[in-house]
Amino acid sequence: MNIKKMVDLDLNNKKVLIRVDLNVPIEDGKITSDARIIATLPTIELAIKNNAKIMIMSHLGRPQEGIYTKKYSLFPIFQYLKNYFKKEKIYFSNDYLNGIDINPGEIYILENVRFNCGELKNDHKLSKQYANLCDIFVMDAFGSAHRIQASTYGIGNFVKIACAGPLLISEINSLKKAIKNPQRPLISIIGGSKVSTKFNILNKISQISDTVIVGGGIANTFLAINNKIGKSLYEKNFILKAKKLYDKYNIIVPIDSRVGKNFSHKEKAVIKLISNIKDNEEIMDFGDKTIQKITDIIKKAKTIIWNGPVGVFEFKHFRIGTEMIAKAISDSNAFSIAGGGDTLSVIDMFNIKNNISYISTGGGAFLEFIEGKKLPSIQMLENHFQNQL
């Protein structure tokens, strides 16, 4: 992989535009998980150390393009960073497309790029405007590296210098370690609501894993092959595809589950064998026998890939499966790599981030990289490197 790296460049007195992933959960103006912000801090600190003129850009959520929506403003993240970088001059800008007057050592947090018309469609005019802001563009948003958008891809066609930030390099190297030549057994845990959105990764990860554990709605689709699962979330159109995977690879599905009759945080959990689930009941978490079986498998692992909770962890009565598996991964001596927005929330909820070998900031990018796809932003950086030879 031939790309320029931020750490190798002279940033002194240069306008440096850093595309990061600050797409963090915010409720009532308060950040509920700062994992992605924390992952970005070393890159900003590197720019400060090298006396750069620093501009930080990111998306947040899915606002209607071209329309300011307070809910999706990066202002709470600016306040977080202002509190963190107390010695630096740090500003917020919601009007930056025509340029910013900035001094060395100063930091500007730019408003949500998805408020800009043309961001999602990789508009050339907008890409040029981004490029004109800077001398050096740093792509460090691994979580958005799979998107062909103006701030992640299009800018690379017009900027003078495009390079990869430390976080992006770290993500790539850690993911390669997990999938190229892993220590075995390699155990993969894939949760989430829909098998359709993760079918390709399930197919790929089943080929490289010794054991694949499925949870959430994904597991329900596998269970529906041979069982009645009441009103549980599953995808009927994917049952046949799930069966082909199940018959071919070592995929572990629940043997018992925590079920409820109503999808509510007030609902109490009842543990039932899969064969005993009634029509008016819904699977929402692993049962105790399943948890024991899976934690025993995790104890023997040498490499663990984890993406997604295995139940409705937002409800206190249906989070024990996710909690016990998270803690089993935390207690393991295996090289563990975790990724995905909900996974980051779980890691924060159970305070285990110091015991996970590597926490990826990517969701879709994490899955596509493991699937073996070339991420567009990495391709852009490679193209930029080749064009300057």
Side-chain angles (χ1 to χ4, degrees):
M1 184 177 67
N2 291 320
I3 59 177
K4 287 186 177 179
K5 298 177 183 177
M6 180 185 180
V7 293
D8 296 332
L9 299 179
D10 177 13
L11 308 179
N12 183 45
N13 203 30
K14 300 287 198 308
K15 285 187 174 181
V16 179
L17 178 61
I18 309 174
R19 175 56 160 102
V20 295
D21 185 359
L22 300 175
N23 187 31
V24 299
I26 298 176
E27 295 179 10
D28 298 323
K30 294 183 179 180
I31 296 164
T32 58
S33 172
D34 62 357
R36 283 178 169 152
I37 304 176
I38 290 170
T40 296
L41 295 177
T43 303
I44 301 174
E45 287 166 346
L46 176 63
I48 293 169
K49 182 180 177 182
N50 285 274
N51 199 39
K53 302 172 181 178
I54 306 158
M55 292 165 282
I56 307 297
M57 71 185 333
S58 175
H59 77 282
L60 176 65
R62 299 185 178 185
Q64 185 175 344
E65 196 171 88
I67 299 176
Y68 170 83
T69 310
K70 185 178 180 180
K71 175 183 176 182
Y72 297 114
S73 174
L74 263 65
F75 193 77
I77 297 167
F78 158 71
Q79 291 176 309
Y80 178 106
L81 292 171
K82 188 174 183 179
N83 185 57
Y84 182 86
F85 292 109
K86 292 180 179 177
K87 295 181 179 179
E88 277 69 41
K89 292 182 178 179
I90 181 166
Y91 307 97
F92 184 76
S93 177
N94 56 13
D95 183 16
Y96 53 85
L97 291 179
N98 293 319
I100 292 177
D101 186 15
I102 183 171
N103 298 311
E106 292 181 344
I107 305 169
Y108 270 80
I109 309 302
L110 310 185
E111 182 59 286
N112 192 342
V113 294
R114 290 190 177 172
F115 290 163
N116 300 327
C117 290
E119 167 64 21
L120 298 179
K121 293 183 179 180
N122 190 34
D123 179 74
H124 281 202
K125 180 183 177 182
L126 182 61
S127 298
K128 284 181 181 179
Q129 287 180 300
Y130 289 154
N132 289 336
L133 293 174
C134 64
D135 302 307
I136 298 170
F137 171 64
V138 180
M139 177 58 189
D140 209 34
F142 179 76
S144 300
H146 61 310
R147 303 187 188 282
I148 301 177
Q149 296 174 356
S151 68
T152 62
Y153 185 86
I155 184 175
N157 294 318
F158 305 104
V159 77
K160 301 166 190 173
I161 299 172
C163 66
L167 178 60
L168 184 64
I169 297 295
S170 180
E171 293 268 13
I172 293 167
N173 291 340
S174 295
L175 285 169
K176 281 183 177 178
K177 180 179 178 181
I179 64 177
K180 295 295 184 183
N181 189 27
Q183 284 191 294
R184 295 189 179 276
L186 165 57
I187 309 301
S188 295
I189 301 153
I190 306 294
S193 59
K194 294 184 177 181
V195 71
S196 57
T197 60
K198 294 186 178 180
F199 182 80
N200 289 337
I201 183 62
L202 273 170
N203 189 21
K204 176 66 176 180
I205 217 162
S206 295
Q207 294 172 33
I208 65 172
S209 301
D210 297 290
T211 303
V212 176
I213 297 159
V214 290
I218 292 173
N220 294 345
T221 301
F222 280 88
L223 290 172
I225 296 169
N226 295 313
N227 301 277
K228 292 182 179 179
I229 57 170
K231 59 179 184 178
S232 306
L233 174 68
Y234 78 107
E235 291 181 281
K236 186 176 181 179
N237 293 339
F238 271 80
I239 291 177
L240 184 58
K241 288 185 176 181
K243 185 178 188 305
K244 288 179 179 178
L245 283 183
Y246 186 76
D247 290 343
K248 189 174 182 179
Y249 301 109
N250 186 27
I251 296 175
I252 305 297
V253 299
I255 51 180
D256 64 342
S257 293
R258 283 177 164 78
V259 304
K261 294 180 180 178
N262 299 294
F263 191 81
S264 166
H265 67 92
K266 295 180 180 179
E267 186 74 1
K268 296 291 175 64
V270 177
I271 300 176
K272 286 196 166 186
L273 292 173
I274 298 302
S275 57
N276 292 340
I277 294 172
K278 295 180 180 178
D279 290 344
N280 64 342
E281 292 175 329
E282 181 174 0
I283 297 170
M284 290 194 277
D285 193 11
F286 286 169
D288 290 347
K289 291 181 180 179
T290 301
I291 292 170
Q292 185 61 57
K293 180 179 180 179
I294 290 171
T295 52
D296 286 344
I297 292 170
I298 290 170
K299 286 176 184 177
K300 298 173 184 176
K302 291 290 191 295
T303 304
I304 300 169
I305 297 173
W306 174 28
N307 177 264
V310 299
V312 188
F313 74 100
E314 298 91 344
F315 298 165
K316 64 181 180 180
H317 299 299
F318 297 97
R319 70 172 55 133
I320 190 167
T322 298
E323 179 179 6
M324 297 306 293
I325 286 167
K327 289 183 176 178
I329 296 169
S330 171
D331 293 340
S332 170
N333 292 321
F335 175 76
S336 54
I337 184 162
D342 283 343
T343 315
L344 298 183
S345 297
V346 169
I347 289 168
D348 280 347
M349 179 179 285
F350 302 121
N351 195 28
I352 59 171
K353 63 183 177 182
N354 293 333
N355 295 327
I356 305 296
S357 305
Y358 191 82
I359 299 172
S360 174
T361 56
F366 173 88
L367 296 174
E368 288 192 18
F369 191 94
I370 291 174
E371 194 181 326
K373 291 183 178 179
K374 174 73 76 172
L375 302 184
S377 290
I378 296 173
Q379 184 67 63
M380 176 271 292
L381 292 172
E382 290 178 344
N383 292 342
H384 195 87
F385 181 89
Q386 288 296 323
N387 292 337
Q388 293 199 332
L389 290 179

